[in-house]
Amino acid sequence: PPGMENVQQLSNDMQKKSFEVINCVCLCLCEPDRVLVRVQDLTPENADQLIWLRARVHTSRAKGKQCFLVLRQQQFNVQALVAVGDRASKQMVKFAANITKESIVDVEALVRKVEQKIESCSQQDVELHIERIFVISQAEPRLPLQLEDAVRPDGEGEEEGRATVNQDTKLDNRVIDLRTTTSQAIFRLQSGVCQLFRETLTKKGFVEIQTPKIISAASEGGANVFTVSYFKTSAYLAQSPQLYKQMCICADFDKVFCVGPVFRAEDSNTHRHLTEFVGLDIEMAFSYHYHEVIDSITDTMVQIFKGLFQTEIQTVNKQYPSEPFKFLEPTLRLEYTEALAMLHEAGVEMGDEDDLSTPNEKLLGRLVKEKYDTDFYVLDKYPLAVRPFYTMPDPNNPKYSNSYDMFMRGEEILSGAQRVHDAQMLTDRAIHHQIDLEKIKAYIDSFRYGAPPHGGGGIGLERVCMLYLGLHNVRQTSMFPRDPKRLTP
Amino acid sequence: PPGMENVQQLSNDMQKKSFEVINCVCLCLCEPDRVLVRVQDLTPENADQLIWLRARVHTSRAKGKQCFLVLRQQQFNVQALVAVGDRASKQMVKFAANITKESIVDVEALVRKVEQKIESCSQQDVELHIERIFVISQAEPRLPLQLEDAVRPDGEGEEEGRATVNQDTKLDNRVIDLRTTTSQAIFRLQSGVCQLFRETLTKKGFVEIQTPKIISAASEGGANVFTVSYFKTSAYLAQSPQLYKQMCICADFDKVFCVGPVFRAEDSNTHRHLTEFVGLDIEMAFSYHYHEVIDSITDTMVQIFKGLFQTEIQTVNKQYPSEPFKFLEPTLRLEYTEALAMLHEAGVEMGDEDDLSTPNEKLLGRLVKEKYDTDFYVLDKYPLAVRPFYTMPDPNNPKYSNSYDMFMRGEEILSGAQRVHDAQMLTDRAIHHQIDLEKIKAYIDSFRYGAPPHGGGGIGLERVCMLYLGLHNVRQTSMFPRDPKRLTP
């Protein structure tokens, strides 16, 4: 068939790189019935079948009249062989040996059961005997990083002089770094977190909403907000969807969630801060007590913890070993005063209405783990002074508030509260916080026409993934992270 | 119990508006076993039961010793009655009659089966005989718009001097406008579109990704892009996630989708343009032909059309009547040259390589509907000259390209294409389009290390909802729309 001849001819001439090479695939209409097999489906049941496969050249090693390839699809790989004989010429072996690593090839091959398990491949019981091979997309010969280096655990093979890849090199070449088994597992897991979050909430009767990211006024007082040129005026990027979630509650949606980007212009280059991250946000009306909100959120988190794929977790653990993540059912809820008592007992000096510093949060996480054996807990009833103006004060003690944070492995992943749902009280609280009332008029007005008591919270997706997996940098769980120093790729 | 006494006392004194009123709900811990019934669950089976209910006062009408209320929860409502007698005092009837519309109340009431159906309520077979009533949140007496006006079909009741509400008033007071049955239905349907989109693609093996919205270079040439101040430098808001979707394909995720905001700084105040909208984006590697991509997208659209709730559609149709949305299986695919022939036949003069104007798109939609009886179709093989630089040319005719748009009721909802996956060819195309290569270096470099043939497209969520429902302004299907003139609420 004309299309395929074209491809064959071209793949035998690696020098020629032209429009036709690029389009070879769309010319192959002559083979509409050809089925491409997936590497992960290759088992001894396929033995002696002639199959077609498209995959990357993971490694290639020529040895006399043979060339051994490892062909990879995502986290799966299989050994393949081109050997001089009936079906392959000397020239073809040479051609195969010259294919650059990470190139994409189509092969026609016979599946063979092997005597001895191939320990280095995911498909251990079979190998492929290649009869035809075409280059679909050729990789440049010099890769900016080697996949085997990028997945090597820190310290492993140091004595043999084996390299690991530093984080900036990985992020600069994210398209290659994302091909590693570790990255594939992390981001499939992240996709799973979003899916479980939405499914759990949808079952509970929540409605998904879409909130605007370009807003006319800095929602939380003006600090740490990015400014956007908006035609002849200026606007801001939303630091959270919270005000809009609340408007939806005032608009009778009852229980809502949203998943979307959140922007923070914080000039801090820590392991856990990004200037843009994905917020998993919840807001709901409650009947009698804001603990109904806490229960909905903690149950959602528990469903996520329980639902995540174990194989992906194990894959990540191979490179980044960590203790299994522990949680209790029902989730542990501590009051702020109890936490302070634990910290005081451990020798920390801090006042009743002081906020927790990051080191104290971590210390508290360790103390809680020792005492209760959980990596996930809720800290309830924060001092009113350290929370935003829209936080509902504790009716029993005006020093405290109906607000809470949630922690995983001693780091904050969620901040939430019962919100003030009365326009007059909200106005008073805004004045107390010296917020320009004119700028939050639309927000305050939302509560003038009847608003149910409600609360909610916002979860940072990247932090949840990082802490669940026991990783140490939030850039590992953001595909294309943004921080004060990084805007590309 | 102390908490409830407090509430009762307060609700008998509507003047007193204080911290305690606001917090009454959180004080009601004394009633943790009280179950609030949902309006939609009220049927004759509940007859003679004493129940608790929280709802809005939809309407209120005093009549001698009685006060009739309609109590509303979202799209459901029920008639309620306070009458002077054993259980209610004259004072209580007066109190009930004075509760402002849209206030939120808790009532204890006896459910009674009615002889004659109550046509004006969703719960037609029962009414409530109120024994106790508490105001949970009081609405201001003057509402900026009346719900019954906001749901009135255009032109209805004009002779009786009944008002409708213009769009700007609705949007300025969105928190109230979103409470109408029409708005509730529209945004529940929108939530359904997102859910069906993700579920269908997840079943097909797609992975959800999160792409950055702050980017270092204007992705598509620099026009219509918003600028952000980014610490000491400038950045841009992403006009589409396309470049990042493609990087994920180069990074072996094979099939990806994302749902997120998209920003266009177009200074056009039309019925179908927003400066920020929600993009439903798809990108996938294909085996032999980019029509595999078209098939995946059209099947996803068909699953959405089939899966949407009919009750919500009927609710919207009550206010905005429209023809039922028609589609074919498999989806109709027309080539650009065929479409031009149809337009020429209808008297339109345009050249082979001209883009379709909006009026011609609409005309074509009508011609296609007449000929094929479908409101949804694909227009394939656009002239290369009118598509972005990364579009794959048609290998058989360099004047055309492997690109397509999809239309609903004659308006574009998706634009997509096979992408150029070869770095050299992409460079050549960028130069041809006079794009600064330095600015798209990271993008072009993504294709240097092996890239499979792939394609995709991006759908505008608000447009899909608008056109499916036969609405005439995209602001009706955006909760908090953004256009050159609107940044609030």
Side-chain angles (χ1 to χ4, degrees), chain B residues 166-177:
Chain B
N166 77 43
Q167 186 168 269
D168 273 331
T169 306
K170 284 183 184 177
L171 293 179
D172 287 342
N173 301 283
R174 196 60 156 159
V175 164
I176 299 175
D177 179 51

Side-chain angles (χ1 to χ4, degrees), chain B residues 168-240:
Chain B
D168 273 331
T169 306
K170 284 183 184 177
L171 293 179
D172 287 342
N173 301 283
R174 196 60 156 159
V175 164
I176 299 175
D177 179 51
L178 287 175
R179 293 178 193 169
T180 65
T181 47
T182 304
S183 295
Q184 290 282 322
I186 287 173
F187 292 102
R188 279 161 205 276
L189 210 86
Q190 189 178 81
S191 165
V193 171
C194 293
Q195 199 183 330
L196 289 161
F197 176 80
R198 288 184 304 243
E199 279 177 7
T200 307
L201 291 169
T202 301
K203 272 187 211 145
K204 289 178 190 287
F206 281 72
V207 176
E208 179 176 9
I209 57 167
Q210 306 292 340
T211 67
K213 305 307 164 199
I214 301 180
I215 56 173
S216 63
S219 49
E220 312 202 6
N224 304 334
V225 66
F226 288 114
T227 307
V228 185
S229 302
Y230 197 81
F231 304 103
K232 283 167 188 154
T233 176
S234 279
Y236 305 94
L237 291 183
Q239 292 159 289
S240 97

Side-chain angles (χ1 to χ4, degrees), chain A residues 17 19 22-23 25-29 31 34 36 38 54 56 72 74 102 104 136-140 142-144 175-176 178-179 183-184 187-188 190-191 194-195 198 202 207-216 226-231 235 237 244 247-248 250-254 259 261 263 265-267 275-276 278 286-289 392-393 395-396 421-422 425 442 446 448-453 461 479-480 482-484 486-489, chain B residues 17 19 22-23 25-29 31 34 36 38 54 56 72 74 102 104 136-140 142-144 175-176 178-179 183-184 187-188 190-191 194-195 198 202 207-216 226-231 235 237 244 247-248 250-254 261 263 265-267 275-276 278 286-289 392-393 395-396 418 421-422 425 442 446 448-453 461 479-480 482-484 486-489:
Chain A
K17 197 136 192 291
F19 184 65
I22 298 151
N23 268 284
V25 169
C26 33
L27 289 172
C28 294
L29 274 175
E31 303 278 2
R34 185 191 290 172
L36 291 173
R38 307 287 304 164
R54 179 171 300 165
R56 281 194 195 272
R72 189 185 82 234
Q74 299 158 345
E102 294 300 306
I104 297 174
I136 296 296
S137 174
Q138 191 184 187
E140 295 201 350
R142 268 173 185 277
L143 296 173
V175 164
I176 299 175
L178 286 175
R179 294 178 191 169
S183 295
Q184 290 281 322
F187 291 101
R188 278 161 206 277
Q190 189 178 82
S191 166
C194 293
Q195 199 182 330
R198 288 184 303 245
T202 301
V207 176
E208 180 175 9
I209 57 167
Q210 307 291 340
T211 67
K213 306 307 165 199
I214 301 180
I215 56 174
S216 63
F226 288 113
T227 307
V228 184
S229 302
Y230 197 80
F231 304 104
L237 291 183
Y244 291 94
M247 288 197 217
C248 289
C250 297
D252 289 349
F253 283 92
D254 198 38
V259 176
F263 306 93
E266 281 179 273
D267 199 356
T275 52
E276 178 181 346
V278 176
F286 61 81
S287 300
Y288 296 114
H289 200 285
M392 181 63 86
N396 302 312
H421 61 278
D422 177 86
M425 186 180 185
S446 314
R448 295 195 189 282
Y449 309 104
L461 174 64
M479 255 191 188
F480 302 101
R482 294 293 180 255
D483 64 34
R486 179 172 291 280
L487 263 172
T488 52
Chain B
K17 198 138 192 285
F19 184 65
I22 298 150
N23 269 284
V25 170
C26 33
L27 289 172
C28 294
L29 274 173
E31 304 278 1
R34 186 191 290 172
L36 292 173
R38 307 287 305 165
R54 179 171 300 164
R56 280 193 196 273
R72 189 186 82 234
Q74 299 159 348
E102 293 300 305
I104 297 175
I136 296 297
S137 174
Q138 192 184 183
E140 294 200 351
R142 268 172 186 277
L143 296 173
V175 164
I176 299 175
L178 287 175
R179 293 178 193 169
S183 295
Q184 290 282 322
F187 292 102
R188 279 161 205 276
Q190 189 178 81
S191 165
C194 293
Q195 199 183 330
R198 288 184 304 243
T202 301
V207 176
E208 179 176 9
I209 57 167
Q210 306 292 340
T211 67
K213 305 307 164 199
I214 301 180
I215 56 173
S216 63
F226 288 114
T227 307
V228 185
S229 302
Y230 197 81
F231 304 103
L237 291 183
Y244 290 94
M247 288 195 213
C248 289
C250 297
D252 288 350
F253 283 91
D254 199 37
F263 307 93
E266 281 179 274
D267 199 358
T275 53
E276 177 181 346
V278 177
F286 61 81
S287 300
Y288 297 114
H289 200 285
M392 181 64 86
N396 302 313
Q418 179 182 353
H421 61 278
D422 177 87
M425 186 181 187
S446 315
R448 295 195 189 283
Y449 309 104
L461 173 63
M479 255 193 190
F480 303 100
R482 294 292 179 257
D483 65 33
R486 179 172 291 281
L487 264 173
T488 52

